[in-house]
Amino acid sequence: MRIATWNVNSLKARLPRVLAWINDVQPDVLLLQETKMTDKAFPALTFSEMGYESAHFGQGQWNGVAILSNVGLTEARSNFATGEPDAEARIITANCGGIKVVSVYVPNGRALDHEHYQYKLRWLDQLAAHVATIASPTDALVVAGDFNIAPADIDVWDMKALAGSTHVSQPERERLAALHAWGLRDIVREQHPEAGIYSWWDYRNGSFHRGWGMRIDLALVTECVAQQTRWSVIDRNARKGEQPSDHVPVVIEVAT
DNA sequence: ATGGTGGCCCGGCCA
């Protein structure tokens, strides 16, 4: 089963590229983030014609997450399964072909001294609670999306340039470590220990061509999924050409 | 590095 995650930065603006990418890569399950549209505007029929069932948790102008699947899609659930429902559309869960998948769009945080950063940390705590509520570490589970966290220094182009900013701070990295302690593994990093593999580059300053990127889009998997992951890739080519998202897809191939 | 792009929807917010 081929499972992918992609922050598309507006599904409306990105639809031609998303459809072309699906035809090219043929994912079985595709997790989307930042659709930036209402549920009514979500092109479910277009995906249906391509053989995918879908579930969308939209908000409109901002955020919005979705799951597409051609191996079945049941028990779709928007928002957190426990605690206070989040006010924003950032997480959706479903069962797809025997694997439970969660599409997440973690808050950006903006700045360490910003109120939004505290929201990010609280949101990550809620994510940990959500995961523990919907699954156990022995289940087949994939939690993937835009985490807005670079797990380690190797995941950014220059730590000096990012000193004191979000995405690399210790408190958010500790939240990620808590997910690992529960039983989720960063399978892409395990399979690709080298430096310089990024999933996001700023639109500004020619960051992509300068290699100024970060690996902030993650596919976290439980042990049984990790053992079955044949290969994984960050599809850097998706950042090239006309009207790219600033993020690229992350793909894992899981034997079933 | 800190706003030079790009998305939302039409001046400013957000990433």
Side-chain angles (χ1 to χ4, degrees), chain A residues 51 70 113 133 140 146 210:
Chain A
N70 67 13
D113 61 356
T133 299
D146 177 3
R210 293 186 197 201

Side-chain angles (χ1 to χ4, degrees), chain A residues 99-218:
Chain A
I99 299 182
K100 189 161 286 190
V101 298
V102 187
S103 177
V104 301
Y105 176 45
V106 177
N108 174 286
R110 299 181 193 168
L112 298 188
D113 61 356
H114 199 288
E115 189 277 333
H116 198 255
Y117 177 71
Q118 297 305 319
Y119 169 56
K120 180 180 196 174
L121 298 182
R122 288 197 307 273
W123 199 94
L124 287 163
D125 288 336
Q126 285 197 272
L127 175 60
H130 175 81
V131 166
T133 299
I134 63 159
S136 81
T138 53
D139 292 335
L141 171 69
V142 175
V143 182
D146 177 3
F147 279 76
N148 272 314
I149 303 170
D153 293 358
I154 195 176
D155 296 307
V156 304
W157 82 101
D158 183 4
M159 272 302 290
K160 290 191 293 295
L162 290 162
S165 59
T166 59
H167 297 68
V168 297
S169 75
Q170 207 52 43
E172 52 198 297
R173 283 178 171 175
E174 283 168 7
R175 265 60 176 195
L176 205 49
L179 294 174
H180 290 313
W182 180 84
L184 287 166
R185 290 167 51 177
D186 183 354
I187 192 63
V188 177
R189 177 49 83 199
E190 289 183 29
Q191 296 190 347
H192 302 277
E194 68 272 19
I197 57 164
Y198 305 133
S199 67
W200 172 88
W201 298 260
D202 200 310
Y203 282 123
R204 297 161 292 188
N205 303 323
S207 291
F208 180 61
H209 295 287
R210 293 186 197 201
W212 293 351
M214 295 199 279
R215 192 177 69 94
I216 56 177
D217 298 87
L218 310 175

